[in-house]
Amino acid sequence: MLDALGREINYLRISITDRCNLRCRYCMPQGVPCVPHEDVLRYEEILRISRVAVSLGMTRLRITGGEPLARKGAPEFLAALRQVPGVETIAITTNGVLLAESLDRLRPARLDWVNISLDTLSGERYRDLTGVDGLAQTLEGIHAALAGGLAVKLNCVLMRGINDDEILPLTRLATQLPVDVRFIELMPVGAARDLARVPGAEVLEILKSAYPDLAPAATRGNGPARYWQSPAFLGRVGFIDAMGDHFCGQCNRVRLSSQGFLRLCLYHGEGLDLRALLRSGADDEQLRRAMEQAIGGKPEGHHLETGETGGLSGLSKIGG
Ligand code: SAM
Ligand code: SF4
């Protein structure tokens, strides 16, 4: 469907849990306040919302969290999502720690992409950044996903003075494996406010020096990432520069929180309480009309540079 500004909204990002098995320093270093189980959407409720969303044209779905694979039954839920008529693509964003052990159960979901977050290749630093000794499991997840034929993208968030010495080692993964390595600018929300981002433009200059034949990739992805390629790469490198690059004019997405709030823009608080609607007995047509009206009014863009985050206190709440 189109919003009031004529943008085609065809992508729904669904957080299935606030909880996580890691404690990333820029995300939820102290963990998240426990949400009562009854406040979190049941899988059947998410499936119902998804059916309505797909009927409105949101045919590209991404499942995220918190850590989606940490929620019981996530692979079976993903398989059920795949059965929703009209769904075109299903992707998942995960920290990868539970990925290798989940792959067999994930097969029926026929995932189109798996995005795996990886900010360091040092085991000690991984423990320091996430609170968990999980690097080996994450790397195992990456290799197992590739061996299982899945398309893999790596999400790397750089922090000044913390892991910005790993730009080239992380990029080298794209020379060794058929993966897209994406550098995501740190967004100044919640715990990340105390950390310094590394601008994508700076990373690009470093990569251009290391790979003089680096050139913009012919095709742009369906999202905010800008890709570059080099004959040295089996995959590509990508940049998601939320601060330096306003991609709001091409924004194609809305987000559903694990508590059923449809958030229209990452950095605006407006949206629709779908859980309240669902649980007050709304039928599918009422859900559809409410979603259509809400999405029609999607805000024009964000003003992150002024510090305005629409009340967002961390990306784990809405899944990035
Ligand atoms: N737990 C999963 C994971 O880590 O991939 C999914 C949820 S996590 C919130 C989604 C993505 O958001 C991850 O790639 C993470 O690195 C990124 N992220 C979290 N906080 C961020 C911030 N302040 N700025 C930029 N990216 C952030
Ligand atoms: Fe968990 Fe992902 Fe947040 Fe790290 S970034 S704490 S893995 S939700």
Side-chain angles (χ1 to χ4, degrees):
M1 66 167 282
L2 299 182
D3 71 1
L5 300 169
R7 293 174 295 193
E8 188 181 357
I9 310 302
N10 57 15
Y11 180 110
L12 178 64
R13 190 171 283 211
I14 303 170
S15 170
I16 61 171
T17 179
D18 277 355
R19 299 182 187 197
C20 189
N21 50 349
L22 299 188
R23 295 285 174 268
C24 295
R25 204 190 277 185
Y26 52 71
C27 183
M28 50 161 119
Q30 265 83 51
V32 272
C34 234
V35 175
H37 271 298
E38 58 275 19
D39 287 356
V40 174
L41 289 186
R42 296 187 297 274
Y43 283 137
E44 311 87 79
E45 292 175 314
I46 306 177
L47 284 168
R48 195 169 153 213
I49 292 172
S50 303
R51 274 186 217 106
V52 175
V54 171
S55 78
L56 282 167
M58 279 156 273
T59 54
R60 309 169 71 88
L61 306 176
R62 172 172 297 280
I63 304 309
T64 175
E67 173 49 39
L69 296 179
R71 179 163 173 183
K72 208 170 155 208
E76 291 69 29
F77 160 72
L78 282 153
L81 201 58
R82 176 52 83 188
Q83 299 305 317
V84 171
V87 168
E88 286 181 28
T89 61
I90 302 183
I92 180 172
T93 300
T94 170
N95 58 39
V97 171
L98 300 171
L99 184 57
E101 65 182 69
S102 308
L103 278 175
D104 279 345
R105 286 165 60 213
L106 281 169
R107 204 155 291 134
R110 289 181 280 115
L111 296 176
D112 293 275
W113 287 282
V114 181
N115 287 20
I116 304 172
S117 302
L118 180 69
D119 302 329
T120 178
L121 291 168
S122 147
E124 200 178 319
R125 194 175 273 175
Y126 190 101
R127 194 175 335 111
D128 190 45
L129 286 178
T130 68
V132 171
D133 199 0
L135 178 65
Q137 277 168 282
T138 300
L139 293 176
E140 188 192 348
I142 294 170
H143 288 287
L146 288 170
L150 291 170
V152 172
K153 298 179 187 178
L154 302 180
N155 287 351
C156 313
V157 176
L158 296 171
M159 291 155 276
R160 180 84 69 205
I162 294 180
N163 64 345
D164 53 348
D165 56 344
E166 295 199 59
I167 294 170
L168 290 176
L170 287 165
T171 302
R172 228 167 273 132
L173 290 173
T175 69
Q176 298 158 354
L177 302 169
V179 296
D180 288 345
V181 173
R182 296 137 38 102
F183 292 102
I184 302 178
E185 275 185 356
L186 183 73
M187 295 177 234
V189 294
R193 284 185 194 274
D194 299 332
L195 300 162
R197 81 189 161 103
V198 181
E202 186 180 318
V203 180
L204 180 59
E205 285 316 308
I206 292 169
L207 295 189
K208 279 180 174 169
S209 301
Y211 302 96
D213 48 15
L214 197 68
T219 50
R220 205 188 153 147
N222 191 31
R226 293 176 191 280
Y227 286 102
W228 293 69
Q229 59 196 26
S230 150
F233 296 159
L234 299 174
R236 301 174 296 178
V237 283
F239 295 90
I240 301 180
D241 301 345
M243 301 295 288
D245 176 8
H246 260 256
F247 29 74
C248 307
Q250 286 90 46
C251 187
N252 62 350
R253 61 199 57 196
V254 290
R255 296 170 165 85
L256 180 68
S257 78
S258 58
Q259 296 179 55
F261 188 75
L262 186 74
R263 194 171 172 111
L264 305 169
C265 167
L266 193 48
Y267 301 112
H268 282 266
E270 294 97 328
L272 175 66
D273 185 351
L274 279 167
R275 186 185 68 196
L277 257 183
L278 269 177
R279 294 187 183 174
S280 66
D283 63 22
D284 283 359
E285 189 46 37
Q286 286 167 319
L287 285 180
R288 189 183 149 89
R289 264 188 273 122
M291 282 170 78
E292 202 168 20
Q293 191 181 7
I295 293 169
K298 180 174 157 70
E300 185 174 356
H302 71 71
H303 302 285
L304 251 188
E305 57 286 353
T306 64
E308 179 51 57
T309 63
L312 190 68
S313 56
L315 290 199
S316 66
K317 291 247 174 305
I318 195 76

